[in-house]
Structures are given as C-alpha cells and as structure tokens.
C-alpha cells in the first residue's frame, strides 16, 4: 500500500488497534470522551445504520452543522462505506444552502437543531434528499 492509498477510515482502523485505549475525542460541551477503539466502534455502528438507509459507495451525505463528535462520526462512517460527506457551511443563507445541496444531490441530510427551522417546508427544493436526521440524537425535530 502506497503512502497515498490510505482512506480516512484506514487511519481510524489503524488507530483503533495501535492506540486502542488512548483518548481520541473529548467533546467539551458535554464532557463526552471516546477512546480510539470506541470511536472506531461508533463509526462502524453508524455505517451499518447508513447502509440500512440505502447509502452505498459513491453516495453523498449532506451535513449542515457546527463541529461536533457526531459530525466526525459521520465522516468516519461515510469513509467506511466509500460515501462522500458534503459539509455545508452553516453561515450560508437558506437559498445558498439549498443551491449547494441541489448541486451535490445528497441522499441523506444531517442538520444541527439550530438550522432545521430554516429547512422546514423546503423538501420540494431538495428532491434528492430521501431522509433528514438530527445531527445530534437528542436535539431537533428531524
């Protein structure tokens, strides 16, 4: 394997073994922590859920939100499946967000609670999106 042949998930998998019990993530907002092996496990569970939603290699997943553990779990799960994450800048106007999403045609959309109201009633403007989800499990109405 060449130096440029590693995917993001390959790095996660390697660290899950080499640094299994080392601290991988500390979410300051709610003091959650994950070790490298826990991070890998969470990614694989999320990837299985994304696969059940129909995500496969080459599909796109839109994410509208601020940095969080969930955001980086989606990145890892997408890498596991060979899918592509579309990070949408939360500072854009609603029309700009819709334009970017339509241009990239994501299958799924994960949105932080604070941005969900802006996308309410815009389903017809996002025909490729078959499902919308809260970026954080306990926050939002998606």
């Amino acid at each position: 394997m060449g130096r440029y042949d590693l995917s993001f998930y390959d790095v996660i998998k390697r660290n899950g073994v080499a640094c299994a019990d080392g601290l991988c993530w500390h979410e300051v907002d709610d003091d959650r922590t994950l070790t490298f092996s826990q991070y890998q496990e969470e990614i694989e569970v999320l990837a299985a859920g994304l696969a059940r939603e129909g995500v496969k290699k080459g599909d796109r997943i839109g994410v509208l939100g601020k940095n969080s553990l969930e955001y980086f779990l989606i990145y890892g799960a997408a890498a596991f499946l060979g899918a592509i994450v579309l990070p949408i800048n939360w500072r854009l106007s609603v029309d700009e967000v819709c334009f970017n999403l339509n241009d990239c045609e994501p299958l799924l959309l994960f949105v932080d609670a604070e941005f969900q109201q802006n996308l309410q009633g815009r389903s017809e403007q996002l025909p490729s999106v078959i499902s919308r989800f809260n970026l954080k499990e306990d926050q939002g109405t998606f």
Side-chain angles (χ1 to χ4, degrees), residues 82-99:
I84 302 161
V85 172
L86 305 169
I88 303 297
N89 187 334
W90 55 269
R91 292 178 181 94
L92 295 175
S93 72
V94 177
D95 289 336
E96 291 170 320
V97 167
C98 289
F99 177 86

Side-chain angles (χ1 to χ4, degrees), residues 4-135:
Y4 298 108
D5 294 338
L6 293 175
S7 74
F8 182 55
Y9 181 73
D10 291 330
V11 173
I12 292 166
K13 188 168 60 172
R14 181 195 64 198
N15 289 344
V17 172
C19 310
D21 295 326
L23 180 62
C24 173
W25 191 275
H26 179 207
E27 187 76 3
V28 176
D29 292 343
D30 57 9
D31 205 35
R32 287 181 294 164
T33 60
L34 287 178
T35 65
F36 284 97
S37 61
Q38 290 170 328
Y39 182 61
Q40 180 184 358
E41 184 179 321
E42 291 286 326
I43 284 169
E44 291 171 0
V45 168
L46 180 56
L50 293 175
R52 277 194 305 274
E53 288 294 321
V55 176
K56 57 191 177 313
K57 185 175 183 174
D59 285 340
R60 290 165 295 286
I61 302 167
V63 181
L64 176 60
K66 297 179 180 176
N67 286 345
S68 65
L69 171 59
E70 291 78 11
Y71 204 122
F72 287 92
L73 288 170
I74 292 169
Y75 262 101
F80 181 89
L81 295 171
I84 302 161
V85 172
L86 305 169
I88 303 297
N89 187 334
W90 55 269
R91 292 178 181 94
L92 295 175
S93 72
V94 177
D95 289 336
E96 291 170 320
V97 167
C98 289
F99 177 86
N100 283 310
L101 289 171
N102 275 321
D103 189 45
C104 299
E105 299 181 329
L107 190 63
L108 306 179
L109 182 59
F110 288 84
V111 183
D112 258 339
E114 66 185 288
F115 308 115
Q116 289 180 7
Q117 186 175 2
N118 295 339
L119 294 178
Q120 295 292 350
R122 299 224 177 207
S123 295
E124 71 283 347
Q125 292 178 316
L126 304 171
S128 69
V129 177
I130 61 168
S131 296
R132 300 172 188 212
F133 298 96
N134 298 323
L135 183 56

